[in-house]
Amino acid sequence: MAVTLREITRDNWRECVDIRVDASQTQFVASNMFSLAQSKYEPECIPLAIYDDEQMVGFVMYKSEDYGLAKTWFIERLLIGADHQKKGYGRAAMTALIERLRSQHGYNAILISFIPGNDIAQKLYSDLGFKDTGELEEGELVYRLALID
Ligand SMILES: CC(C)(COP(=O)(O)OP(=O)(O)OC[C@H]1O[C@@H](n2cnc3c(N)ncnc32)[C@H](O)[C@@H]1OP(=O)(O)O)[C@@H](O)C(=O)NCCC(=O)NCCS
């Protein structure tokens, strides 16, 4: 497996729109069509395609948030295409994104949120070191990975 995160461009955005989760999971995540539209009009949102070698398998989107002095990353979206799930891509993509965000200075944490009941996401984020903040934002549980001790 060779997982990389790549920019969405003129050449791959249509393929990105075609990456979809299973019908039973659409409650957990917005479609890539929605996310790409959001990233155009909310340009602080940075969308990336998840590739295994040359095959697009999923999508992530993140943004920088400024709380006064402290800057924080927020992972706005994560999904792996229905046909590509349970192969380790979600974990590998999150690991790659965390590494990318860690390499930029001046940020104290990465936040991520998910709908209560999304046990797979909850377990994945906990395994990666995210902790429950106890906060709910727009009905979603907010988890936090500290970047500075
Ligand atoms: C959450 C999601 C990104 C995980 O991606 P993935 O590539 O399937 O996950 P991985 O293969 O890396 O597996 C991560 C862990 O979750 C477990 N897992 C993944 N899918 C599972 C399933 N359907 N049932 C039970 N466990 C599952 C894996 O076994 C693995 O656990 P382990 O490391 O202890 O073995 C994917 O399920 C998804 O896109 N879901 C729909 C969208 C969503 O909920 N996004 C998150 C919104 S915040």
Side-chain angles (χ1 to χ4, degrees):
M1 195 203 304
V3 170
T4 51
L5 304 177
R6 299 192 199 165
E7 241 180 281
I8 309 288
T9 65
R10 172 181 284 275
D11 295 324
N12 67 3
W13 75 269
R14 290 168 199 271
E15 192 182 354
C16 182
V17 166
D18 285 337
I19 299 272
R20 295 186 173 89
V21 296
D22 186 76
S24 64
Q25 300 172 322
T26 51
Q27 55 179 317
F28 293 138
V29 70
S31 69
N32 285 352
M33 178 99 83
F34 179 91
S35 295
L36 291 179
Q38 185 183 358
S39 70
K40 178 165 170 61
Y41 296 105
E42 298 178 15
E44 67 277 19
C45 292
I46 300 168
L48 294 170
I50 301 165
Y51 280 82
D52 179 9
D53 217 338
E54 293 309 310
Q55 162 104 56
M56 193 188 294
V57 297
F59 177 81
V60 282
M61 189 161 83
Y62 68 95
K63 65 181 176 186
S64 170
E65 286 186 337
D66 223 327
Y67 296 106
L69 291 177
K71 282 203 293 183
T72 300
W73 295 111
F74 188 82
I75 301 176
E76 181 95 11
R77 217 129 295 149
L78 166 72
L79 69 85
I80 300 296
D83 301 340
H84 304 292
Q85 292 185 10
K86 288 204 268 182
K87 296 177 182 169
Y89 292 136
R91 183 183 291 272
M94 280 294 291
T95 303
L97 181 57
I98 291 166
E99 207 170 292
R100 173 185 290 234
L101 299 182
R102 251 189 215 290
S103 71
Q104 300 197 40
H105 295 292
Y107 288 82
N108 65 359
I110 303 174
L111 298 176
I112 195 160
S113 69
F114 55 91
I115 292 170
N118 191 350
D119 298 337
I120 296 164
Q122 181 164 24
K123 180 181 171 299
L124 175 61
Y125 305 154
S126 298
D127 282 356
L128 291 166
F130 285 81
K131 308 279 183 227
D132 189 356
T133 62
E135 287 166 34
L136 263 182
E137 207 174 283
E138 292 172 17
E140 299 202 357
L141 297 164
V142 182
Y143 272 41
R144 181 177 189 276
L145 178 69
L147 296 179
I148 300 167
D149 296 327

